[in-house]
Amino acid sequence: MEKILFVMNPVSGGIDKDETILRIHWLSVREKFDFKFRYTTGENDDETLQAEIDWYRPDRVVACGGDGTVLLVARNLINTDIPIGILPLGSANGLATELTIPEILPEALELAVKGQVSRPIDLLRFNEKYLGIHLGDIGVNALIVKNYAQSGDRRMVGYARHLFRAFQESEQMQYTIKTPGETYRKEGYMLAFANARRFGTGVYLSLNGSMSDGRFEICNFQEIQLEELINLGLTKFELFLDEEMYSDVISCKEAEIEINREVDFQIDGEYIGKVEHLTISTIESAVRIIVPGGEDEEEETGIA
Ligand SMILES: Nc1ncnc2c1ncn2[C@@H]1O[C@H](COP(=O)(O)OP(=O)(O)OP(=O)(O)O)[C@@H](O)[C@H]1O
């Protein structure tokens, strides 16, 4: 009987998980699979998850939460063949959007449990230490993520307050970006490192990027416009929606970045700290994520 481990963030997105839990129980009877829940606590989740994977030896692991929960699962399944399903239950589900995973819970659950198509996904490695799966950035957005995390207020109104504060406080940065072929000097309010083509809203960040091409995109935001931020219905990864702002994009396999001062840095919604220097590289095809079959134009492979 297939074994499925559900890794559930009980607080993600401020969403009650009771319906999800009930549906999983019901589906396990219908589809005849064995399952376990592992609830995250925000403390030592890597260690407990790794121990659970070693002990239970699941055939697939389903991340139930936002991008942070998917990243937790991904970094504990690197170099295994265990595919990852996603139930998008976070305040930021940018990765699920990118991979065209259904937003509707029953559909996402059917896919996560029964999907037979998985896609190899690259991970990003920052300063040889931190892994990322979707988006990292320095500057104004990282400052918002920091303030938001520190406040403990998960509501939108709290978020809006942090957005205004960060917008007022943020100063322009100067950076030197070295890629294997070139050195660029730029200035701006935010530098994003994207293993993806689009933000959570579906707005494209780069038309050519892919999560499976061994490359990532560095996007410089020279300007930020408050009016757009307010008008367009925000979540913490969906700030910059003016398409003209995406023109300053570098696509590369690795990069080294020097910043003229210490700035805030976040990865997939987690505040990391202040940095003045960053190295970024890709780990190609590090994990496999279950996606809707036949609907994506990129490489897909059946689950072994
Ligand atoms: N039981 C818990 N209590 C508090 N925080 C938790 C718990 N479990 C996980 N976390 C934290 O939740 C964050 C990941 O959240 P995730 O990205 O899955 O959902 P989200 O709703 O998009 O995130 P956020 O809460 O940052 O808006 C991590 O910082 C993790 O440490």
Coordinates of all heavy atoms in Angstrom, one line a residue, residues 97-100 117 119-120 196-198 204 206-212 291-301:
T97 N 1.3 28.3 -7.7 CA 0.8 29.1 -8.9 C 1.7 28.8 -10.1 O 1.3 28.5 -11.2 CB 0.8 30.6 -8.6 OG1 0.1 30.7 -7.4 CG2 0.1 31.3 -9.7
E98 N 3.0 28.9 -9.9 CA 4.0 28.7 -10.9 C 3.8 27.4 -11.6 O 4.0 27.2 -12.8 CB 5.4 28.9 -10.3 CG 6.5 28.6 -11.3 CD 6.8 29.7 -12.3 OE1 6.5 30.8 -11.9 OE2 7.3 29.4 -13.3
L99 N 3.5 26.4 -10.7 CA 3.5 25.0 -11.2 C 2.1 24.6 -11.7 O 1.8 23.4 -11.8 CB 4.0 24.0 -10.2 CG 5.5 24.2 -9.9 CD1 5.9 23.4 -8.7 CD2 6.4 23.8 -11.1
T100 N 1.2 25.6 -11.7 CA -0.2 25.4 -12.1 C -1.0 24.3 -11.3 O -1.8 23.5 -11.8 CB -0.4 25.0 -13.6 OG1 0.2 23.8 -13.9 CG2 0.2 26.1 -14.5
V117 N 2.5 12.5 -12.5 CA 3.5 13.2 -13.3 C 4.3 14.2 -12.4 O 3.7 14.9 -11.6 CB 2.8 14.1 -14.4 CG1 3.9 14.9 -15.2 CG2 2.1 13.2 -15.4
R119 N 7.8 16.8 -11.9 CA 8.8 17.6 -12.7 C 10.0 17.9 -11.9 O 9.9 18.2 -10.7 CB 8.1 19.0 -13.0 CG 8.2 19.4 -14.4 CD 7.5 20.7 -14.6 NE 8.4 21.8 -14.4 CZ 8.1 23.1 -14.5 NH1 6.9 23.4 -14.7 NH2 9.1 24.0 -14.3
P120 N 11.2 17.7 -12.5 CA 12.4 18.0 -11.7 C 12.5 19.5 -11.5 O 12.2 20.3 -12.4 CB 13.5 17.6 -12.7 CG 12.9 17.5 -14.0 CD 11.5 17.3 -13.9
A196 N 11.9 31.1 -11.1 CA 10.6 31.0 -11.6 C 10.3 32.0 -12.7 O 11.1 32.9 -12.9 CB 9.7 31.3 -10.4
R197 N 9.1 31.9 -13.2 CA 8.7 32.9 -14.3 C 7.8 33.9 -13.7 O 7.6 34.9 -14.3 CB 8.1 32.1 -15.4 CG 9.1 31.4 -16.3 CD 8.4 30.7 -17.4 NE 7.3 29.8 -16.8 CZ 6.6 29.0 -17.5 NH1 6.7 29.0 -18.8 NH2 5.7 28.2 -16.9
R198 N 7.1 33.6 -12.7 CA 6.0 34.5 -12.3 C 5.8 34.6 -10.8 O 6.2 33.7 -10.0 CB 4.7 34.2 -12.9 CG 4.4 32.8 -13.1 CD 3.2 32.6 -14.0 NE 3.0 31.2 -14.2 CZ 1.9 30.7 -14.7 NH1 0.9 31.4 -15.0 NH2 1.9 29.4 -14.9
Y204 N 4.0 37.8 -15.0 CA 5.3 37.2 -15.3 C 6.4 38.1 -14.9 O 6.4 39.4 -15.0 CB 5.4 37.0 -16.9 CG 4.8 35.7 -17.2 CD1 3.4 35.6 -17.5 CD2 5.5 34.6 -17.4 CE1 2.8 34.4 -17.8 CE2 5.0 33.4 -17.7 CZ 3.6 33.3 -17.9 OH 3.1 32.1 -18.2
S206 N 9.7 36.9 -15.7 CA 10.6 36.7 -16.8 C 9.9 35.7 -17.7 O 9.5 34.6 -17.2 CB 11.9 36.2 -16.3 OG 12.3 35.0 -16.9
L207 N 9.9 35.9 -19.0 CA 9.2 35.0 -19.9 C 10.0 33.8 -20.2 O 9.4 32.7 -20.5 CB 8.9 35.7 -21.2 CG 7.7 36.7 -21.1 CD1 7.5 37.4 -22.4 CD2 6.4 36.0 -20.7
N208 N 11.3 33.9 -20.0 CA 12.1 32.7 -20.4 C 12.5 31.8 -19.2 O 13.0 30.7 -19.5 CB 13.4 33.2 -21.1 CG 13.1 34.1 -22.2 OD1 12.2 33.8 -23.0 ND2 13.8 35.2 -22.4
G209 N 12.4 32.3 -18.0 CA 12.8 31.5 -16.9 C 12.0 30.2 -16.7 O 11.0 30.0 -17.3
S210 N 12.6 29.3 -16.0 CA 12.0 28.0 -15.7 C 12.5 27.5 -14.4 O 13.6 27.9 -14.0 CB 12.3 27.1 -16.9 OG 12.2 25.7 -16.4
M211 N 11.8 26.6 -13.8 CA 12.3 26.1 -12.5 C 13.1 24.8 -12.8 O 13.5 24.2 -11.8 CB 11.1 25.8 -11.6 CG 10.3 27.0 -11.3 SD 9.0 26.7 -10.1 CE 10.0 26.7 -8.6
S212 N 13.3 24.5 -14.0 CA 14.0 23.2 -14.3 C 15.1 23.4 -15.3 O 15.4 22.5 -16.1 CB 13.0 22.2 -14.9 OG 11.8 22.3 -14.3
V291 N 2.9 17.6 -10.6 CA 2.2 18.7 -11.3 C 1.1 18.1 -12.1 O 1.0 16.9 -12.4 CB 3.2 19.4 -12.3 CG1 4.3 20.2 -11.5 CG2 3.8 18.4 -13.3
P292 N 0.1 18.9 -12.5 CA -1.0 18.4 -13.4 C -0.4 17.8 -14.6 O 0.5 18.3 -15.2 CB -1.8 19.6 -13.7 CG -1.5 20.6 -12.6 CD 0.0 20.4 -12.3
G293 N -0.9 16.6 -15.0 CA -0.3 15.9 -16.2 C -0.7 16.5 -17.5 O -1.8 16.9 -17.7
G294 N 0.4 16.6 -18.3 CA 0.2 17.1 -19.7 C -0.2 18.5 -19.9 O -0.4 18.9 -21.1
E295 N -0.3 19.3 -18.9 CA -0.8 20.7 -19.1 C 0.4 21.7 -19.2 O 0.2 22.8 -19.5 CB -1.7 21.1 -18.0 CG -3.1 20.5 -18.1 CD -3.9 20.7 -16.9 OE1 -3.6 21.7 -16.2 OE2 -4.8 19.9 -16.7
D296 N 1.5 21.2 -18.7 CA 2.7 22.2 -18.8 C 3.5 21.9 -20.0 O 3.7 20.7 -20.3 CB 3.5 22.0 -17.5 CG 4.3 23.2 -17.2 OD1 5.3 23.4 -17.9 OD2 3.9 24.0 -16.3
E297 N 4.1 22.9 -20.5 CA 4.8 22.8 -21.7 C 6.2 22.3 -21.5 O 7.0 21.9 -22.3 CB 4.9 24.1 -22.5 CG 5.7 25.2 -21.9 CD 5.0 26.0 -20.8 OE1 4.0 25.5 -20.4 OE2 5.6 27.0 -20.5
E298 N 6.6 22.3 -20.2 CA 8.0 21.9 -19.9 C 8.1 20.4 -19.6 O 7.2 19.7 -19.6 CB 8.5 22.7 -18.7 CG 8.6 24.2 -19.0 CD 9.1 25.0 -17.9 OE1 10.3 24.7 -17.6 OE2 8.4 25.8 -17.4
E299 N 9.4 20.0 -19.4 CA 9.7 18.6 -19.3 C 8.9 17.9 -18.1 O 8.8 18.5 -17.0 CB 11.1 18.4 -19.0 CG 11.6 16.9 -19.0 CD 12.9 16.7 -18.3 OE1 13.6 17.7 -18.0 OE2 13.1 15.6 -18.0
E300 N 8.3 16.9 -18.4 CA 7.6 16.1 -17.3 C 8.0 14.7 -17.4 O 8.3 14.1 -18.5 CB 6.1 16.2 -17.6 CG 5.5 17.6 -17.4 CD 4.1 17.7 -17.9 OE1 3.6 16.8 -18.6 OE2 3.5 18.7 -17.5
T301 N 8.0 14.0 -16.3 CA 8.4 12.6 -16.3 C 7.5 11.9 -15.4 O 7.1 12.4 -14.3 CB 9.8 12.5 -15.6 OG1 10.6 13.6 -16.2 CG2 10.5 11.2 -16.0

